[in-house]
mmCIF file of all heavy atoms in Angstrom:
data_model
loop_
_atom_site.group_PDB
_atom_site.id
_atom_site.type_symbol
_atom_site.label_atom_id
_atom_site.label_comp_id
_atom_site.label_asym_id
_atom_site.label_seq_id
_atom_site.Cartn_x
_atom_site.Cartn_y
_atom_site.Cartn_z
ATOM 1 N N ARG G 28 0.857 -1.193 0.000
ATOM 2 C CA ARG G 28 0.000 0.000 0.000
ATOM 3 C C ARG G 28 0.887 1.235 0.000
ATOM 4 O O ARG G 28 1.871 1.297 0.721
ATOM 5 C CB ARG G 28 -0.924 0.017 1.219
ATOM 6 C CG ARG G 28 -2.080 -0.971 1.112
ATOM 7 C CD ARG G 28 -3.148 -0.701 2.156
ATOM 8 N NE ARG G 28 -4.311 -1.563 1.956
ATOM 9 C CZ ARG G 28 -5.329 -1.285 1.151
ATOM 10 N NH1 ARG G 28 -5.332 -0.151 0.485
ATOM 11 N NH2 ARG G 28 -6.339 -2.115 1.029
ATOM 12 N N PRO G 29 0.552 2.236 -0.819
ATOM 13 C CA PRO G 29 1.358 3.458 -0.867
ATOM 14 C C PRO G 29 1.436 4.117 0.505
ATOM 15 O O PRO G 29 0.466 4.087 1.274
ATOM 16 C CB PRO G 29 0.615 4.339 -1.873
ATOM 17 C CG PRO G 29 -0.192 3.386 -2.698
ATOM 18 C CD PRO G 29 -0.560 2.263 -1.783
ATOM 19 N N PRO G 30 2.588 4.726 0.851
ATOM 20 C CA PRO G 30 2.739 5.368 2.163
ATOM 21 C C PRO G 30 1.723 6.478 2.401
ATOM 22 O O PRO G 30 1.316 6.709 3.545
ATOM 23 C CB PRO G 30 4.171 5.933 2.111
ATOM 24 C CG PRO G 30 4.873 5.147 1.058
ATOM 25 C CD PRO G 30 3.821 4.782 0.066
ATOM 26 N N ASN G 31 1.307 7.167 1.348
ATOM 27 C CA ASN G 31 0.352 8.261 1.505
ATOM 28 C C ASN G 31 -1.097 7.803 1.342
ATOM 29 O O ASN G 31 -1.994 8.609 1.154
ATOM 30 C CB ASN G 31 0.658 9.376 0.507
ATOM 31 C CG ASN G 31 0.676 8.872 -0.930
ATOM 32 O OD1 ASN G 31 0.617 7.670 -1.158
ATOM 33 N ND2 ASN G 31 0.758 9.789 -1.883
ATOM 34 N N GLY G 32 -1.324 6.503 1.404
ATOM 35 C CA GLY G 32 -2.667 5.975 1.285
ATOM 36 C C GLY G 32 -3.035 5.652 -0.149
ATOM 37 O O GLY G 32 -2.250 5.857 -1.073
ATOM 38 N N GLY G 33 -4.217 5.115 -0.336
ATOM 39 C CA GLY G 33 -4.666 4.743 -1.670
ATOM 40 C C GLY G 33 -4.751 3.241 -1.822
ATOM 41 O O GLY G 33 -4.411 2.468 -0.904
ATOM 42 N N PRO G 34 -5.188 2.761 -2.977
ATOM 43 C CA PRO G 34 -5.360 1.325 -3.203
ATOM 44 C C PRO G 34 -4.018 0.601 -3.260
ATOM 45 O O PRO G 34 -2.972 1.211 -3.536
ATOM 46 C CB PRO G 34 -6.079 1.277 -4.558
ATOM 47 C CG PRO G 34 -5.717 2.557 -5.226
ATOM 48 C CD PRO G 34 -5.587 3.562 -4.133
ATOM 49 N N PRO G 35 -4.020 -0.707 -3.011
ATOM 50 C CA PRO G 35 -2.771 -1.470 -3.062
ATOM 51 C C PRO G 35 -2.206 -1.529 -4.479
ATOM 52 O O PRO G 35 -2.946 -1.494 -5.462
ATOM 53 C CB PRO G 35 -3.183 -2.854 -2.559
ATOM 54 C CG PRO G 35 -4.652 -2.944 -2.843
ATOM 55 C CD PRO G 35 -5.177 -1.552 -2.680
ATOM 56 N N VAL G 36 -0.871 -1.643 -4.567
ATOM 57 C CA VAL G 36 -0.177 -1.697 -5.844
ATOM 58 C C VAL G 36 0.821 -2.843 -5.812
ATOM 59 O O VAL G 36 1.621 -2.959 -4.879
ATOM 60 C CB VAL G 36 0.559 -0.381 -6.154
ATOM 61 C CG1 VAL G 36 1.314 -0.489 -7.479
ATOM 62 C CG2 VAL G 36 -0.419 0.789 -6.192
ATOM 63 N N ALA G 37 0.771 -3.702 -6.824
ATOM 64 C CA ALA G 37 1.740 -4.789 -6.966
ATOM 65 C C ALA G 37 2.847 -4.351 -7.908
ATOM 66 O O ALA G 37 2.568 -3.836 -8.999
ATOM 67 C CB ALA G 37 1.063 -6.046 -7.496
ATOM 68 N N GLU G 38 4.104 -4.509 -7.497
ATOM 69 C CA GLU G 38 5.269 -4.177 -8.318
ATOM 70 C C GLU G 38 5.956 -5.487 -8.700
ATOM 71 O O GLU G 38 6.539 -6.165 -7.851
ATOM 72 C CB GLU G 38 6.227 -3.266 -7.553
ATOM 73 C CG GLU G 38 5.628 -1.935 -7.139
ATOM 74 C CD GLU G 38 5.625 -0.931 -8.283
ATOM 75 O OE1 GLU G 38 6.256 -1.222 -9.321
ATOM 76 O OE2 GLU G 38 4.990 0.125 -8.145
ATOM 77 N N ILE G 39 5.885 -5.849 -9.981
ATOM 78 C CA ILE G 39 6.358 -7.152 -10.455
ATOM 79 C C ILE G 39 7.540 -6.954 -11.396
ATOM 80 O O ILE G 39 7.376 -6.401 -12.490
ATOM 81 C CB ILE G 39 5.233 -7.915 -11.170
ATOM 82 C CG1 ILE G 39 3.984 -7.995 -10.283
ATOM 83 C CG2 ILE G 39 5.700 -9.304 -11.582
ATOM 84 C CD1 ILE G 39 2.754 -8.501 -10.995
ATOM 85 N N PRO G 40 8.743 -7.386 -11.008
ATOM 86 C CA PRO G 40 9.881 -7.287 -11.942
ATOM 87 C C PRO G 40 9.673 -8.244 -13.130
ATOM 88 O O PRO G 40 9.268 -9.394 -12.958
ATOM 89 C CB PRO G 40 11.080 -7.732 -11.085
ATOM 90 C CG PRO G 40 10.619 -7.657 -9.675
ATOM 91 C CD PRO G 40 9.142 -7.914 -9.702
ATOM 92 N N ILE G 41 9.933 -7.760 -14.331
ATOM 93 C CA ILE G 41 9.819 -8.595 -15.523
ATOM 94 C C ILE G 41 11.111 -8.493 -16.330
ATOM 95 O O ILE G 41 11.890 -7.544 -16.178
ATOM 96 C CB ILE G 41 8.615 -8.176 -16.397
ATOM 97 C CG1 ILE G 41 8.803 -6.749 -16.912
ATOM 98 C CG2 ILE G 41 7.309 -8.325 -15.645
ATOM 99 C CD1 ILE G 41 7.798 -6.348 -17.965
ATOM 100 N N GLY G 42 11.352 -9.488 -17.170
ATOM 101 C CA GLY G 42 12.565 -9.469 -17.972
ATOM 102 C C GLY G 42 12.458 -10.353 -19.199
ATOM 103 O O GLY G 42 11.577 -11.216 -19.295
ATOM 104 N N LEU G 43 13.340 -10.109 -20.148
ATOM 105 C CA LEU G 43 13.481 -10.939 -21.342
ATOM 106 C C LEU G 43 14.972 -11.061 -21.623
ATOM 107 O O LEU G 43 15.635 -10.060 -21.896
ATOM 108 C CB LEU G 43 12.754 -10.314 -22.535
ATOM 109 C CG LEU G 43 12.995 -10.971 -23.900
ATOM 110 C CD1 LEU G 43 12.539 -12.422 -23.897
ATOM 111 C CD2 LEU G 43 12.288 -10.179 -25.004
ATOM 112 N N GLN G 44 15.484 -12.263 -21.537
ATOM 113 C CA GLN G 44 16.909 -12.500 -21.751
ATOM 114 C C GLN G 44 17.087 -13.834 -22.448
ATOM 115 O O GLN G 44 16.526 -14.850 -22.022
ATOM 116 C CB GLN G 44 17.659 -12.508 -20.409
ATOM 117 C CG GLN G 44 19.168 -12.449 -20.525
ATOM 118 C CD GLN G 44 19.677 -11.069 -20.943
ATOM 119 O OE1 GLN G 44 19.079 -10.071 -20.602
ATOM 120 N NE2 GLN G 44 20.762 -11.036 -21.689
ATOM 121 N N ASN G 45 17.849 -13.815 -23.563
ATOM 122 C CA ASN G 45 18.082 -15.044 -24.336
ATOM 123 C C ASN G 45 16.772 -15.720 -24.743
ATOM 124 O O ASN G 45 16.668 -16.953 -24.779
ATOM 125 C CB ASN G 45 18.952 -16.017 -23.544
ATOM 126 C CG ASN G 45 20.331 -15.454 -23.254
ATOM 127 O OD1 ASN G 45 20.914 -14.771 -24.094
ATOM 128 N ND2 ASN G 45 20.845 -15.720 -22.059
ATOM 129 N N GLY G 46 15.756 -14.908 -25.015
ATOM 130 C CA GLY G 46 14.480 -15.427 -25.474
ATOM 131 C C GLY G 46 13.551 -15.903 -24.383
ATOM 132 O O GLY G 46 12.434 -16.341 -24.674
ATOM 133 N N VAL G 47 13.981 -15.846 -23.107
ATOM 134 C CA VAL G 47 13.163 -16.338 -21.995
ATOM 135 C C VAL G 47 12.479 -15.170 -21.295
ATOM 136 O O VAL G 47 13.148 -14.225 -20.850
ATOM 137 C CB VAL G 47 14.018 -17.126 -20.983
ATOM 138 C CG1 VAL G 47 13.162 -17.578 -19.803
ATOM 139 C CG2 VAL G 47 14.659 -18.332 -21.652
ATOM 140 N N VAL G 48 11.141 -15.224 -21.211
ATOM 141 C CA VAL G 48 10.361 -14.208 -20.504
ATOM 142 C C VAL G 48 10.214 -14.635 -19.056
ATOM 143 O O VAL G 48 9.852 -15.789 -18.766
ATOM 144 C CB VAL G 48 8.971 -14.040 -21.138
ATOM 145 C CG1 VAL G 48 8.166 -12.994 -20.383
ATOM 146 C CG2 VAL G 48 9.091 -13.668 -22.605
ATOM 147 N N SER G 49 10.489 -13.707 -18.132
ATOM 148 C CA SER G 49 10.393 -14.027 -16.708
ATOM 149 C C SER G 49 9.617 -12.945 -15.982
ATOM 150 O O SER G 49 9.563 -11.794 -16.417
ATOM 151 C CB SER G 49 11.787 -14.155 -16.094
ATOM 152 O OG SER G 49 12.487 -12.925 -16.184
ATOM 153 N N ALA G 50 8.994 -13.324 -14.862
ATOM 154 C CA ALA G 50 8.311 -12.401 -13.964
ATOM 155 C C ALA G 50 8.718 -12.752 -12.548
ATOM 156 O O ALA G 50 8.623 -13.925 -12.148
ATOM 157 C CB ALA G 50 6.794 -12.495 -14.125
ATOM 158 N N ALA G 51 9.201 -11.759 -11.803
ATOM 159 C CA ALA G 51 9.712 -11.987 -10.451
ATOM 160 C C ALA G 51 10.770 -13.086 -10.457
ATOM 161 O O ALA G 51 10.802 -13.943 -9.571
ATOM 162 C CB ALA G 51 8.582 -12.325 -9.489
ATOM 163 N N GLN G 52 11.616 -13.081 -11.508
ATOM 164 C CA GLN G 52 12.725 -14.022 -11.699
ATOM 165 C C GLN G 52 12.256 -15.466 -11.909
ATOM 166 O O GLN G 52 13.052 -16.397 -11.798
ATOM 167 C CB GLN G 52 13.696 -13.946 -10.511
ATOM 168 C CG GLN G 52 14.323 -12.573 -10.335
ATOM 169 C CD GLN G 52 15.320 -12.523 -9.207
ATOM 170 O OE1 GLN G 52 15.339 -13.380 -8.330
ATOM 171 N NE2 GLN G 52 16.160 -11.498 -9.223
ATOM 172 N N ILE G 53 10.996 -15.657 -12.227
ATOM 173 C CA ILE G 53 10.458 -16.987 -12.508
ATOM 174 C C ILE G 53 10.261 -17.107 -14.015
ATOM 175 O O ILE G 53 9.511 -16.327 -14.615
ATOM 176 C CB ILE G 53 9.111 -17.216 -11.790
ATOM 177 C CG1 ILE G 53 9.296 -17.081 -10.281
ATOM 178 C CG2 ILE G 53 8.529 -18.576 -12.148
ATOM 179 C CD1 ILE G 53 7.995 -17.134 -9.511
#
């Protein structure tokens, strides 16, 4: 949840390396 209030927010790391798509290093 943001420190100043408001709705929850999910922050998901994503990547593409050597043709492999990943999210949260999965």
